[in-house]
Amino acid sequence: MSYLATRLFGFLVTPSNLVATICLLGLLLTLVRWRKAGARISAAGIALLLVCGFSPLGNWLLLPLSERFPAWHDDGRAPDGIVVLGGAISPDLTAERGTAELNASAERMTAAAELARRFPNAKIVLSGGNANVFHPLSTEAEVGRVLLENLGVAADRIVREDRSRNTYENAIFTRDVVKPKPGERWLLVTSAYHMPRAMGVFRAANFPVEAYPIDWRTSGWKEAGRPFLKLSAGLARLDTAAHEWVGLIGYRLAGRTDEWFPAP
């Protein structure tokens, strides 16, 4: 499947988009001769929208992902390198505004800066190109490099991998850039809910890494039964979880990982 086809498929299977499509279809049918069928479809779409947005469904799907890998604990042995996956920077906004614009996954970059301070001899590898076909000029790795340098990280410690557009390419291209040696210790920094898929891909690429999950979207399993007070918040959580589950299944079917649900 081509890259653009993959992106289109990901858009179509987003729960909020599917629900919106159902509601729109019902509305359109009410404008023609299938008025009763349209009304039923619209009612079903609205009911589904409310369930998806206000129920804890998003948490039920996200928690197994984000709780799969525990927080990393320092055992006294410093890492040789730290791989930070893209996804925290908006290259298009950055290009328009002339400054690093971070999104909801900003912890990937703040964790990189904090780890660079804690482990002054470790290489910091920023893995991320630009998946936005409408703003192809800047890459996440380059924007991240400037940001980390402004935060005091020495330029000679930062390694850029700026070709990757997805998690699979993150692993393959980063491995080829850094060429990890046997016995080296590498940390992998990405969002907790994304860690299972990322670890599976890096393992399949023969790049041994240790999980360093950040960007926790929940406070833990106690949120499993907690409904959302805002429709948009529940839909956003559900979209994030569904995207990751579809990614896990798709990567396994495509042979990009050797496990359905990678574990520690």
Side-chain angles (χ1 to χ4, degrees), residues 72-79 118-119 185:
W72 185 79
H73 294 288
D74 188 357
D75 61 4
R77 180 191 170 199
R118 286 174 59 189
F119 304 109
R185 188 179 203 183

Side-chain angles (χ1 to χ4, degrees), residues 22 24 85 89 115 126 150 169 184 214 244:
I22 293 172
L24 180 60
L85 299 191
I89 294 170
L115 287 170
L126 302 178
N150 290 339
E169 292 181 352
E184 288 185 338
I214 41 82
E244 206 53 45

Side-chain angles (χ1 to χ4, degrees), residues 8 11 19 26 30 47 53 90 111 124 134 149 155 157 163 167 171 212 215 221 228 230 239 246 261:
L8 178 60
F11 173 82
V19 172
T30 61
S90 300
I124 309 297
F134 300 106
E149 287 186 18
R157 296 182 58 195
R163 293 190 297 149
T167 309
Y212 192 98
D215 183 24
W221 286 104
F228 291 91
K230 292 176 61 177
D239 283 350
V246 169
F261 193 25

Side-chain angles (χ1 to χ4, degrees), residues 49-121:
L49 180 69
L50 295 176
V51 171
C52 290
F54 289 116
S55 78
L57 179 60
N59 285 335
W60 295 345
L61 291 178
L62 193 74
L63 281 165
L65 295 165
S66 62
E67 301 302 312
R68 189 69 165 171
F69 285 82
W72 185 79
H73 294 288
D74 188 357
D75 61 4
R77 180 191 170 199
D80 297 284
I82 297 155
V83 178
V84 184
L85 299 191
I89 294 170
S90 300
D92 50 345
L93 292 179
T94 297
E96 294 291 339
R97 298 298 180 179
T99 185
E101 291 292 330
L102 304 181
N103 56 33
S105 297
E107 289 91 337
R108 300 187 190 189
M109 294 307 302
T110 57
E114 195 271 334
L115 287 170
R117 180 191 61 80
R118 286 174 59 189
F119 304 109
N121 295 320

Side-chain angles (χ1 to χ4, degrees), residues 1 166 168-169 200-202 204-205 250-258:
M1 185 181 294
N166 53 47
Y168 173 71
E169 292 181 352
V201 171
F202 271 76
Y251 271 32
R252 182 66 183 92
L253 293 176
R256 293 180 171 182
T257 67
D258 300 323

